[in-house]
Amino acid sequence: RSRGVILQSQDGEVRWKAEEREWGLSWQWKDGVAAESTLGSGIGAYSREKLTSEQDDALFCAEVEKWIENEWLIPHDPEVHGEPAAVLPLLAQVQEHKATTPVRPVLDYRCLNARLQSDPGGDAPACEESLRKWRKAGCPGDFMPLDIKKAYLQVHVAKEFLKYQTVLWNGKPYVMTRMGFGLSIGPKFMGIIVRYVTRGCPDVDSYIDDMLTPSKCADAVAKTMLEYGLPTKPAEPLEESRVLGLQLCDAGSDVTWRCRDGSDIRVPEVLTKRAIFKWCGRLTGHLPVCAWLRPACCYIKRLAGWRQTGTNPYPTKLLSSAVSWTQESLVMVTQHEDAGKYRQTATSSM
């Protein structure tokens, strides 16, 4: 691509630098004022022995070493980067369902996120809406998922902000040169980039860095992504892929969407209004939904928030019916497959 591109929002911007063939991220400070003092709690690194098993820690260390090898983490140079303005502890996020990256390094961005302007925006897709839309995408053979390789790590952070991404590793300071996992504005700007690059492909639908594209133009879309510095994983038939946590399965005469094995749908031990809302959201957002499950969850949430006229507007005690409905719904989900799968229809479309 011969020209640069600037994509702006109220909380920052991303730039496509054509000569360097890279994307660069700049953020906006809350109230327009940059942090003057060093951010963070002063804890440069957490005790990995307490937070991860020995096996997971070995995978975590290997992944961090890859970051250093690829120069996503580079040694801190005071003359180039200035004095560290924020030290972000590294954490291990275990994701057993991902064979390529079973343990992902993430950064504890809380101290930095608190100082950043955040404008989620109304045009960003919602996960559950994308799930419902993709489940009705038509015949499985007509579509293929595309996933960007190391998507966040393809986006550089502007040089003036690198001092806010200092990381301690083996007692030595490093600088995270890419957009790390945990940055509050990361998903939004990743989505902005993908939607811009695929703007000429009207049949492509995306959620952050995951795309669902017609099979006939999957190669063309992958080529376009590569031209913008975003290499993709090889496209696979939809029947062999996992899309936003769902797997397409051939069940004889029906083709159905199912949640991946091992999904945690247990009811929380301590039931509160917040816990019930979270549990219902997890069911309807990440399980293929049809038949009775969504109305049942809506009813449970109504019961959980129910209060009698003239009583405390913020009730602390749940109605017994809310508790019983929650427990009975779990039994129904586990015993009846119609709540855990979604029939793929050949006549529907995105």
Side-chain angles (χ1 to χ4, degrees):
R1 301 289 172 175
S2 58
R3 61 185 181 88
V5 175
I6 301 177
L7 306 175
Q8 294 180 316
S9 180
Q10 293 184 0
D11 42 11
E13 67 177 29
V14 282
R15 294 176 178 244
W16 167 245
K17 304 173 186 178
E19 294 184 0
E20 293 90 344
R21 293 184 54 78
E22 67 184 38
W23 289 95
L25 170 70
S26 299
W27 56 67
Q28 288 286 344
W29 295 104
K30 189 177 292 185
D31 301 324
V33 180
E36 297 179 356
S37 58
T38 303
L39 300 177
S41 61
I43 301 176
Y46 297 129
S47 174
R48 301 203 308 268
E49 293 79 5
K50 296 181 179 179
L51 298 176
T52 55
S53 65
E54 185 175 344
Q55 180 181 0
D56 290 338
D57 188 62
L59 295 171
F60 171 69
C61 292
E63 195 65 24
V64 174
E65 292 299 328
K66 288 181 184 178
W67 284 20
I68 297 174
E69 182 181 343
N70 291 323
E71 296 185 346
W72 300 333
L73 272 179
I74 61 175
H76 176 266
D77 185 343
E79 295 184 1
V80 176
H81 307 119
E83 292 299 319
V87 179
L88 309 178
L90 273 172
L91 296 166
Q93 179 187 22
V94 179
Q95 35 191 25
E96 298 176 351
H97 60 281
K98 290 195 174 183
T100 54
T101 314
V103 178
R104 168 187 286 176
V106 299
L107 281 72
D108 187 349
Y109 271 104
R110 287 178 295 179
C111 64
L112 183 59
N113 286 338
R115 296 299 304 272
L116 300 185
Q117 180 71 27
S118 180
D119 177 39
D123 59 340
C127 183
E128 65 177 44
E129 293 305 319
S130 293
L131 282 170
R132 292 173 65 83
K133 192 175 182 181
W134 291 12
R135 288 198 297 267
K136 299 191 296 181
C139 295
D142 294 342
F143 292 90
M144 302 182 77
L146 275 179
D147 192 14
I148 301 172
K149 293 180 180 178
K150 307 291 185 183
Y152 277 42
L153 300 174
Q154 305 296 343
V155 181
H156 294 248
V157 171
K159 293 181 180 179
E160 61 266 29
F161 297 115
L162 291 182
K163 63 182 180 180
Y164 295 98
Q165 294 209 139
T166 307
V167 173
L168 290 182
W169 182 247
N170 292 333
K172 298 179 181 179
Y174 287 81
V175 168
M176 183 71 179
T177 62
R178 308 299 175 96
M179 184 169 72
F181 302 106
L183 184 64
S184 60
I185 61 174
K188 174 182 177 177
F189 280 100
M190 194 71 245
I192 288 175
I193 291 171
V194 171
R195 290 196 296 274
Y196 174 81
V197 175
T198 59
R199 69 195 184 285
C201 312
D203 294 328
V204 175
D205 194 63
S206 63
Y207 177 74
I208 306 180
D209 61 313
D210 291 297
M211 294 165 283
L212 193 66
T213 177
S215 301
K216 60 185 179 181
C217 60
D219 291 340
V221 174
K223 182 179 179 181
T224 301
M225 299 297 291
L226 185 59
E227 290 175 350
Y228 276 100
L230 301 170
T232 58
K233 301 174 184 177
E236 297 179 342
L238 192 56
E239 299 93 323
E240 302 174 9
S241 306
R242 189 182 71 250
V243 181
L244 296 182
L246 301 182
Q247 185 77 40
L248 194 65
C249 301
D250 187 354
S253 59
D254 288 333
V255 179
T256 60
W257 289 97
R258 299 185 66 88
C259 58
R260 61 172 176 256
D261 294 337
S263 297
D264 186 6
I265 57 173
R266 292 173 296 178
V267 174
E269 293 183 3
V270 179
L271 281 178
T272 62
K273 179 179 177 180
R274 180 188 294 271
I276 286 180
F277 272 60
K278 183 177 181 180
W279 181 77
C280 289
R282 187 163 66 245
L283 284 183
T284 58
H286 297 282
L287 276 181
V289 177
C290 66
W292 54 270
L293 181 58
R294 183 173 289 270
C297 284
C298 289
Y299 184 65
I300 292 172
K301 290 165 68 175
R302 286 291 185 93
L303 290 175
W306 184 269
R307 68 180 182 89
Q308 295 181 350
T309 304
T311 60
N312 183 0
Y314 305 102
T316 57
K317 187 176 181 180
L318 291 171
L319 292 176
S320 58
S321 54
V323 176
S324 62
W325 263 76
T326 301
Q327 295 169 340
E328 290 175 16
S329 294
L330 177 63
V331 174
M332 292 288 288
V333 167
T334 55
Q335 292 184 355
H336 298 271
E337 287 191 342
D338 63 331
K341 67 181 183 180
Y342 193 101
R343 182 171 290 104
Q344 181 77 17
T345 60
T347 57
S348 57
S349 63
M350 288 196 297

